[in-house]
Amino acid sequence: GAVVSQHPSWVICKSGTSVKIECRSLDFQATTMFWYRQFPKQSLMLMATSNEGSKATYEQGVEKDKFLINHASLTLSTLTVTSAHPEDSSFYICSARAGTRVEKLFFGSGTQLSVL
Amino acid sequence: AQTVTQSQPEMSVQEAETVTLSCTYDTSESDYYLFWYKQPPSRQMILVIRQEAYKQQNATENRFSVNFQKAAKSFSLKISDSQLGDAAMYFCAYHFQGGSEKLVFGKGTKLTVNP
């Protein structure tokens, strides 16, 4: 089956630093990738949708300058949390879609970010 | 706006028994998809089952089946012969293919399986 690799699986950083999270589709081309945020014991909240070669579409309330998304190729999207603060600590999950149909949607294994 | 409601924050079931998780949704569309995802302690999202709204027949995947009531906008998940490995968070999700590309998730139900 299709595999989406997300790296790192966990990261601890100091407040004020930036952290980059990678999401790779290993065996398919993903024209669209999605980034979610999940707080403890809560549901997934979509942060942004990224399409290869174009700017990401952010959900209402998500700071574009805080959460930089780059989808430079058909197999890689990155989320950079800039000037991270403790309130940015969360579980971040990416998903990638092969083609245009929602049934071809696959999730990465997630990244736990802890900002000290 | 589409919304997905899971009214049971937690459920428990005895091993080998059957449990039903509830999900209702709100939409004005007629063609859409509904999903149940499982999130075990590893936090990897795993697709359990999918239902296309235009299909009247309820989807089944081995021990997992759904009761899709389109008019009532209800989409429950039945797990038969529950196993310890079924313990997880279960999320119901909605997707309208012709509109926004996103999945709309419910708040989840934590399922505990007792030996």
Side-chain angles (χ1 to χ4, degrees), chain A residues 100-103, chain B residues 2 25-35 50-56 68 70-71 73 93-103:
Chain A
T100 59
R101 303 295 296 181
V102 68
E103 57 263 52
Chain B
Q2 294 88 3
Y25 58 94
D26 185 27
T27 183
S28 58
E29 305 297 338
S30 60
D31 189 14
Y32 48 85
Y33 289 82
L34 295 164
F35 306 83
R50 180 183 70 235
Q51 175 82 42
E52 290 93 332
Y54 67 86
K55 290 186 177 179
Q56 293 185 336
F68 174 46
K70 191 172 184 179
K73 298 179 182 176
Y94 164 98
H95 175 84
F96 170 52
Q97 187 74 13
S100 168
E101 299 185 51
K102 63 184 179 182
L103 280 174

Side-chain angles (χ1 to χ4, degrees), chain A residues 65-87:
Chain A
D65 296 331
K66 159 71 79 175
F67 300 101
L68 300 179
I69 292 172
N70 183 276
H71 193 160
S73 76
L74 286 171
T75 59
L76 174 64
S77 177
T78 59
L79 167 67
T80 301
V81 183
T82 62
S83 186
H85 291 283
E87 58 265 30

